[in-house]
Amino acid sequence: MNHPIRPIAESEFPAVCDLLDEAFVSSWAPGQIERFKGVTEFDRSLAAFDGDRMVGFTQVMSFDMTVPGGVLPVAGVSSVGVLASHRRRGVLSALMRRQLADVHAKGEVFAALYASEAAIYGRYGYGRAVDNVFYSIPKHSSAFRADAPVDPTLRLRVEPPERAREDFVRVFDQVRPTRPGLYMRTAARWNATLADDDNARGSAGRLRCVLAEDDDGVRGYALFRVKRKVTDHDVPDGEVLLQELFAVDPAAYAALWRSLLDRDLCARVFAANRPVDDPVMHLLAEPRHLNAGTLDELWIRLVDVPGALTQRAYSAPVELVVEVDDDVCPWNAGRWRLSTAKHTCERTEDAPDLSLPVRILGAGYLGGRSLESYRMAGQITEHREGAVRELSAAMSWSPLPWGGLVF
């Protein structure tokens, strides 16, 4: 069936909410709808229609994102949904292809998204570029190593989050350029981050914060909620639910974690969506008590292969020919000679050193994914021995990438 696709008008926003409510089997709270509207860019939205009815939707949120060695504009893909009545009709494929064409026309070299289901987006050229970890740390087993950093000039300050917003922004903007994947937060994005209505609270309490500071200003902050519980014997058994923690130096970072782990009336800290190389793993005397698990986080899609590869830094020099397979964005397909010394990536007819699908280049783009593991899984063809290892080493980066906040 033919499903026309176009950007929506602001007057059509209620129909978008109805569609996403159905597609994600969710229910909107009034404040949540307004926050979602605040981050919606109507000129970068796309909706598919069956007659007068909206049956599919997606949008791009415009960000600056840190990449290895710098910051680039990124198309943040979000709110992708199709009505169950219109699945398997090509609606999603049409939306994703149109969106990638629009992103390419705008000049953005890559797109990023958080996937509701991990099996969906690889077929559109997105690669699993970033993982995150979650922790459930019992208070009674959270002692730090004796050499954990301590700064006697630091003090902790408890404030209602709405009074400390400017401090959060200053700290975050200092940290953001240091880690690939972190992205600019607009005022509307901060509004969503600090939301504290009943919908945002869920079964936990109000949003709380603690700041680490000295006489020169704030050096870090933690945002969290506390889920109050007691055992059958009236023993406090509360849980600290960490929303985010950022600090500009190791001592402030350690002080904030210690504050959370020592919280009265609480028995554990649950921290979701933390970076894979989170320093807290090196602070606990017994790191097994992190009780860590891993999930996928950011997915990356190179929309302009030469543009993306020449606008990031590399950890080692490399010059080789990469053959890219890309049937969704055919302008990327073919052989490219990448030279990090010359800062070039140009078309060539020379024999390739390796061949791979574009999704794997996306997976490695932020520096957190070993390309060698894809070769070992039979998903990269190596034509010259050692070529994959060379490219993988060059694209690797430290610290590891992490987006930190779902968009």
Side-chain angles (χ1 to χ4, degrees), residues 127-144:
R128 179 177 170 173
V130 182
D131 292 335
N132 66 35
V133 294
F134 58 88
Y135 303 126
S136 181
I137 310 172
K139 181 177 179 177
H140 64 77
S141 302
S142 68
F144 278 0

Side-chain angles (χ1 to χ4, degrees), residues 40-51:
T40 296
E41 299 176 38
F42 290 95
D43 61 334
R44 303 206 70 182
S45 66
L46 289 173
F49 292 84
D50 184 355

